[in-house]
Amino acid sequence: HSDDDLKWLIQNLEERNEAAEMWEHVIHKTNNRISYSAKRCKPTDGGPMKYLSVTVFEDCSAEVLKDFYMDNDYRKQWDKTVVDHHQLQVDSHTGIEIGRTLKKFPLLTSREYVLAWKLWHGNDNFYCFTKECDHDMVPRQRKYVRVSHFRSGWRIRRVPGRNACEIKMFHQENAGLNVEMAKLAFSKGIWSYVCKMDNAFRNYVAISHTPQGSVLSALTLIAKVPSELESQTVDVTVSMGTNRGEEILTQVAKQKKLSRKPSKKLIAKGLVLVGGAAICLSRGHSALGAKAALAYLLTKLNKRATPLKQTTHNTSI
């Protein structure tokens, strides 16, 4: 039920879930071309860490940003953690694409992602939702660690009143990494990865790189957001750089001050507004930017992680 998945994604992006969760501010960085903010929380159900983040690109269009994120061939050129990516199947009726991505990690066994994803376009938004699946063409192999849980999705839209676009992302996955090490790697490595991605995006625009329209994919089969979901989408975030930017940074500063106090109760009550939140830099299928950030820092940490519990999931969007 792909429309149900889109509804679930929108609810998470707009933080409309019923259960109150304790979100922790992770990072806020900016330069004259790009800004990035992220927060995370540990789910009450014991699942993998959740990330909610926002990246704002100056001087770009939503259409080009969407094409950049979905271009697997170009991704392999600039993202050196991607060892291989290939398409497995495309359903022309549902618009669902399935692919397999292999990513390398320093000191660790390569991680294998078998994912299914779908795109939608609304009046002013593009959406992509991705989750793990199994496929007959890719049996499990001992030489790779199959990622057992993956829920990731983003929304791309223009920032009102500016020549800029934001991509907001919800991201959750279990790649079999030690939780504390993964948190440290993300915090320390993600901004370098964001800047590298921005350079790749500017080069993408400069060479007028466009995806191959003749190749059937989720991008060419992009669906329309159902009217009932489009009417429910409400902007509950504030993009960085608007007239409320100072207010957001002030609230972030207050949260940092609270976090230095010993009371966990105080920390739990702190609300962090991170400029609209979003993007762990996964473009929905093989980007997996959070893991690229981990790979970047793992090179320096020189520590080993815990093994992944192998669990099979048969899932379709």
Side-chain angles (χ1 to χ4, degrees), residues 7-222:
K7 181 179 179 180
W8 180 89
L9 173 62
I10 291 173
Q11 289 175 338
N12 278 275
L13 291 177
E14 297 183 351
E15 302 177 64
R16 289 196 259 132
N17 290 335
E18 295 181 2
E21 295 177 314
M22 299 184 299
W23 288 89
E24 169 194 7
H25 171 70
V26 179
I27 185 173
H28 169 74
K29 291 280 190 177
T30 184
N31 60 32
N32 62 346
R33 298 196 312 185
I34 193 170
S35 59
Y36 178 80
S37 292
K39 59 182 180 179
R40 65 186 168 216
C41 81
K42 181 65 176 175
T44 55
D45 62 6
M49 188 72 67
K50 292 181 180 179
Y51 282 85
L52 193 59
S53 58
V54 129
T55 306
V56 177
F57 293 81
E58 301 294 334
D59 302 318
C60 76
S61 71
E63 186 78 30
V64 174
L65 189 57
K66 176 254 304 175
D67 291 344
F68 168 72
Y69 264 79
M70 301 304 298
D71 196 321
N72 292 298
D73 290 335
Y74 187 65
R75 170 73 58 164
K76 288 187 288 186
Q77 294 178 33
W78 68 268
D79 189 343
K80 300 307 179 183
T81 66
V82 178
V83 178
D84 183 42
H85 172 82
H86 61 270
Q87 184 187 85
L88 297 173
Q89 183 179 342
V90 182
D91 189 323
S92 59
H93 297 290
T94 64
I96 296 172
E97 182 175 357
I98 299 175
R100 177 219 185 227
T101 298
L102 190 64
K103 295 182 75 71
K104 62 182 178 181
F105 293 83
L107 310 178
L108 300 175
T109 303
S110 295
R111 264 52 178 172
E112 182 182 46
Y113 297 81
V114 180
L115 306 172
W117 59 93
K118 181 180 173 70
L119 277 79
W120 294 263
H121 68 91
N123 293 334
D124 301 303
N125 305 313
F126 292 106
Y127 293 94
C128 181
F129 178 74
T130 305
K131 62 184 176 184
E132 83 286 344
C133 68
D134 285 327
H135 198 278
D136 293 340
M137 292 176 61
V138 190
R140 292 174 181 265
Q141 303 179 61
R142 288 189 175 182
K143 60 181 178 179
Y144 304 127
V145 173
R146 176 74 62 87
V147 173
S148 63
H149 181 95
F150 190 96
R151 296 289 187 278
S152 186
W154 48 250
R155 178 189 65 205
I156 292 176
R157 66 181 178 184
R158 186 166 184 171
V159 177
R162 291 168 52 197
N163 182 25
C165 289
E166 69 170 27
I167 177 165
K168 181 174 183 177
M169 173 170 283
F170 171 88
H171 189 88
Q172 184 183 35
E173 71 170 276
N174 176 16
L177 301 173
N178 175 273
V179 174
E180 292 305 315
M181 185 177 70
K183 288 168 62 176
L184 177 63
F186 181 88
S187 302
K188 300 299 182 181
I190 194 64
W191 177 240
S192 294
Y193 182 82
V194 169
C195 292
K196 181 179 179 180
M197 181 185 66
D198 179 59
N199 289 333
F201 174 65
R202 306 301 168 177
N203 291 335
Y204 185 88
V205 175
I207 62 178
S208 299
H209 202 120
T210 57
Q212 298 178 356
S214 59
V215 178
L216 194 65
S217 68
L219 184 61
T220 61
L221 296 170
I222 188 169

